[in-house]
Amino acid sequence: DIQMTQSPSSLSASVGDRVTITCRASQSISSYLNWYQQKPGKAPKLLIYAASSLQSGVPSRFSGSGSGTDFTLTISSLQPEDFATYYCQQSYSTPIFTFGPGTKVDIK
Amino acid sequence: QLQLQESGPGLVKPSETLSLTCTVSGGSISSSSYYWGWIRQPPGKGLEWIGSIYYSGSTYYNPSLKSRVTISVDTSKNQFSLKLSSVTAADTAVYYCARVSGLEAAFDIWGQGTMVTVSS
């Protein structure tokens, strides 16, 4: 089974900050990595697919990079609406999937 | 546009079977381009993939839940369903249905989620 880890588990940041979240897979998953944003009481929302492709309608301040085992989600300038929990998800072993444990971004 | 809506009991007794249905509207569940999946989230915790189904009926389950999970599809009703047997308090969670899209297999459209509590 492919295991996913994320770091940090939480972070505090200010509006305008550049934020970076890391996701690591237990084995190479090529670029089969997706990122989601979840706000309290809401369903997750797809932000990035295939490691670096921006989902339609998602602001360009969100970007993804990486391949193999190490991946990064970057928010170039944090906005008030970006305070949320972010999850990575591997799809290399489709149709078997695994989510990372999540990274909570809150206000400093 | 495509929408997904979960439905089912919000309270299930321990040892009984949890049953949920996801109704797909605004599009066909029979498209060969997509899988359909169930994901759950215990209160205050992260996301756990439960299983997925293709319109043809092929199913794939999380190994940790496989012995208790059954997912089925009813293309005539544009619905797919989840059954989780022998539930315990650990199965208390928000249950989401979602569409799995494309070669990248991302969950691109989600239902709003339904809270299921396991309690006597």
Side-chain angles (χ1 to χ4, degrees):
Chain A
D1 294 2
I2 300 174
Q3 306 300 318
M4 309 299 293
T5 58
Q6 288 182 234
S7 61
S9 57
S10 64
L11 66 90
S12 296
S14 300
V15 172
D17 284 353
R18 182 181 183 88
V19 170
T20 299
I21 298 168
T22 297
C23 176
R24 178 165 290 174
S26 59
Q27 66 180 72
S28 176
I29 58 170
S30 185
S31 295
Y32 291 94
L33 192 284
N34 307 310
W35 289 98
Y36 302 84
Q37 176 194 66
Q38 187 181 33
K39 297 181 180 179
K42 299 294 186 182
K45 172 187 174 182
L46 176 64
L47 297 177
I48 302 283
Y49 62 93
S52 61
S53 295
L54 196 66
Q55 175 71 348
S56 175
V58 173
S60 59
R61 62 181 180 273
F62 290 94
S63 64
S65 64
S67 66
T69 60
D70 295 322
F71 302 85
T72 299
L73 173 69
T74 300
I75 309 172
S76 61
S77 178
L78 196 67
Q79 298 301 301
E81 60 269 31
D82 300 337
F83 292 97
T85 301
Y86 294 85
Y87 294 92
C88 61
Q89 171 242 328
Q90 68 82 16
S91 56
Y92 178 82
S93 57
T94 295
I96 306 292
F97 307 105
T98 317
F99 288 93
T103 296
K104 184 177 182 180
V105 177
D106 61 20
I107 301 172
K108 193 171 190 177
Chain B
Q1 70 265 21
L2 193 84
Q3 292 184 314
L4 285 73
Q5 178 68 58
E6 306 88 351
S7 59
L11 181 64
V12 181
K13 288 182 169 55
S15 80
E16 295 189 345
T17 296
L18 178 160
S19 296
L20 296 174
T21 296
C22 182
T23 300
V24 179
S25 59
S28 174
I29 201 171
S30 298
S31 171
S32 59
S33 301
Y34 308 111
Y35 288 91
W36 306 90
W38 287 98
I39 302 99
R40 70 179 182 179
Q41 185 171 37
K45 296 188 177 182
L47 302 169
E48 179 180 35
W49 173 73
I50 299 170
S52 298
I53 191 164
Y54 198 49
Y55 78 98
S56 62
S58 298
T59 52
Y60 310 88
Y61 300 134
N62 186 321
S64 68
L65 298 170
K66 187 173 183 177
S67 63
R68 299 194 291 130
V69 174
T70 302
I71 297 176
S72 59
V73 64
D74 187 336
T75 55
S76 67
K77 295 182 178 179
N78 232 29
Q79 295 176 334
F80 61 106
S81 299
L82 168 70
K83 291 188 185 300
L84 181 65
S85 64
S86 304
V87 297
T88 69
D91 295 309
T92 293
V94 176
Y95 285 76
Y96 295 100
C97 60
R99 187 181 78 171
V100 184
S101 178
L103 292 176
E104 65 278 1
F107 293 90
D108 66 339
I109 300 176
W110 295 67
Q112 65 184 24
T114 187
M115 180 68 200
V116 179
T117 301
V118 178
S119 175
S120 55

